[in-house]
Amino acid sequence: MIKMRYNTNLVVAIIQTLLCIASIVVISLKSSDKNNLLISSRTLQVNNSITTYGSYDSNTIIGLLIAFTAVTAFFHYSYTFGWFGYNKMIQRKNNSLRWIEYSITATIMIIVICFCSGTVELNAQVLIAVMIASCMILGDVVEKTLGTRVATICTIVGWLLLIGAWSIIIKNYEFAAHGFDVPNCPDKEIKPPSFVAYLVIILVLFYSSFGFVQLYQLFRPKTSYKKIDNTYAYLSALSKTALVVIILYGVLARSQKLDPCLEQENYELDSSIVNVPIL
């Protein structure tokens, strides 16, 4: 069983290393006109038109992909080789290293999703990041206190934080997805790229799946912790692979120019319209 666990973590580490390398390659291969993607949000709407619109630099987004895949690979290599007391943690049925990893990677992932889906307000992004990081920390507390009332309360609070964070993202995406007309730019519209819908749906399911695994662990505390740890490893690999693949595809195939009216001759940007680069 120990050997199987090591192999699982090694496979995850290799997959994340390859994704990290792929993200680096994409930065060098993509064309300059696919450097920015337009987004819009609730605060940018005025009478079904916009007075400002936001954009994010896809190089920065890919940089975040590189960051969390590198962090994930590092932690899974450490699990493979038993660094930082990993084997003792498995014996104690509490892998604190995993929750430290998730508090970093899950937070970066949710910020990437915010940028793509229309949650462009800095205050909302900070709030969501804190909520997700807190949710991961509570996961560690639950494992440390299984069988007690504390574990039950932390599980409930964790789910509330998760639901609250995704509710903000989904509501903003739903609003942004309707699209906004651009003043002085006929027949042009700003809305999130089509790939974002798949990104949101898939990542909601994956984020929730981690919570369901811990619910199972809460109600079946005698379940082999090795199996629980392996399940988390599989979900981690799948969720991060899905995010990276969808984002890279979106950047390479579905990106838009920064200014939707850029190709129009003699177009003068109205003084009431201000481009707000998010990053």
Side-chain angles (χ1 to χ4, degrees):
M1 295 298 293
I2 293 177
K3 183 177 180 181
M4 182 183 69
R5 184 177 71 247
Y6 281 5
N7 287 340
T8 298
N9 287 312
L10 181 59
V11 169
V12 174
I14 292 173
I15 291 173
Q16 297 304 308
T17 301
L18 294 175
L19 290 174
C20 184
I21 294 172
S23 299
I24 295 172
V25 171
V26 166
I27 286 183
S28 64
L29 291 180
K30 71 185 184 63
S31 58
S32 59
D33 67 338
K34 295 187 175 182
N35 194 50
N36 294 284
L37 294 177
L38 294 171
I39 50 179
S40 54
S41 77
R42 181 183 308 279
T43 59
L44 305 182
Q45 185 211 21
V46 177
N47 297 325
N48 200 37
S49 295
I50 57 170
T51 55
T52 61
Y53 60 82
S55 66
Y56 64 78
D57 186 336
S58 60
N59 283 343
T60 304
I61 293 298
I62 298 175
L64 293 176
L65 300 186
I66 293 171
F68 80 72
T69 51
V71 170
T72 302
F74 171 77
F75 273 91
H76 280 275
Y77 282 125
S78 73
Y79 304 156
T80 301
F81 299 110
W83 300 340
F84 311 118
Y86 173 75
N87 295 328
K88 291 182 179 179
M89 291 181 185
I90 295 299
Q91 293 174 359
R92 292 197 303 263
K93 297 185 177 183
N94 170 225
N95 183 4
S96 293
L97 287 174
R98 184 202 315 119
W99 299 110
I100 293 173
E101 174 203 340
Y102 290 172
S103 67
I104 299 170
T105 58
T107 303
I108 296 175
M109 290 168 68
I110 206 73
I111 290 299
V112 170
I113 295 167
C114 284
F115 290 153
C116 297
S117 61
T119 302
V120 300
E121 302 86 353
L122 178 60
N123 289 339
Q125 292 171 359
V126 172
L127 174 62
I128 290 171
V130 171
M131 292 170 75
I132 292 299
S134 300
C135 186
M136 300 303 111
I137 293 171
L138 287 173
D140 187 38
V141 175
V142 170
E143 282 197 348
K144 284 182 167 68
T145 59
L146 279 177
T148 69
R149 184 176 296 180
V150 172
T152 302
I153 293 174
C154 287
T155 299
I156 294 172
V157 174
W159 272 100
L160 290 175
L161 289 171
L162 183 68
I163 293 171
W166 277 106
S167 295
I168 296 171
I169 292 172
I170 292 172
K171 189 64 177 178
N172 282 341
Y173 173 73
E174 179 185 16
F175 191 85
H178 289 298
F180 299 100
D181 299 324
V182 182
N184 299 332
C185 187
D187 302 322
K188 295 295 180 180
E189 191 176 55
I190 291 179
K191 59 183 177 180
S194 58
F195 73 87
V196 175
Y198 301 103
L199 182 70
V200 172
I201 294 172
I202 292 173
L203 268 297
V204 165
L205 295 176
F206 274 123
Y207 268 74
S208 301
S209 66
F210 286 88
F212 285 120
V213 171
Q214 189 153 73
L215 278 177
Y216 182 85
Q217 190 179 5
L218 183 68
F219 290 106
R220 297 289 184 90
K222 294 183 179 180
T223 302
S224 169
Y225 190 73
K226 296 175 183 178
K227 293 181 180 179
I228 295 293
D229 195 58
N230 276 330
T231 301
Y232 278 123
Y234 297 141
L235 289 176
S236 177
L238 290 171
S239 61
K240 291 165 184 175
T241 299
L243 178 60
V244 173
V245 170
I246 293 173
I247 290 290
L248 294 186
Y249 167 76
V251 167
L252 289 174
R254 299 299 181 98
S255 56
Q256 307 171 48
K257 292 182 178 179
L258 177 63
D259 188 341
C261 291
L262 191 63
E263 70 277 9
Q264 292 189 3
E265 294 182 1
N266 301 321
Y267 171 73
E268 294 183 1
L269 191 64
D270 188 280
S271 60
S272 65
I273 307 174
V274 181
N275 174 42
V276 182
I278 304 306
L279 293 172

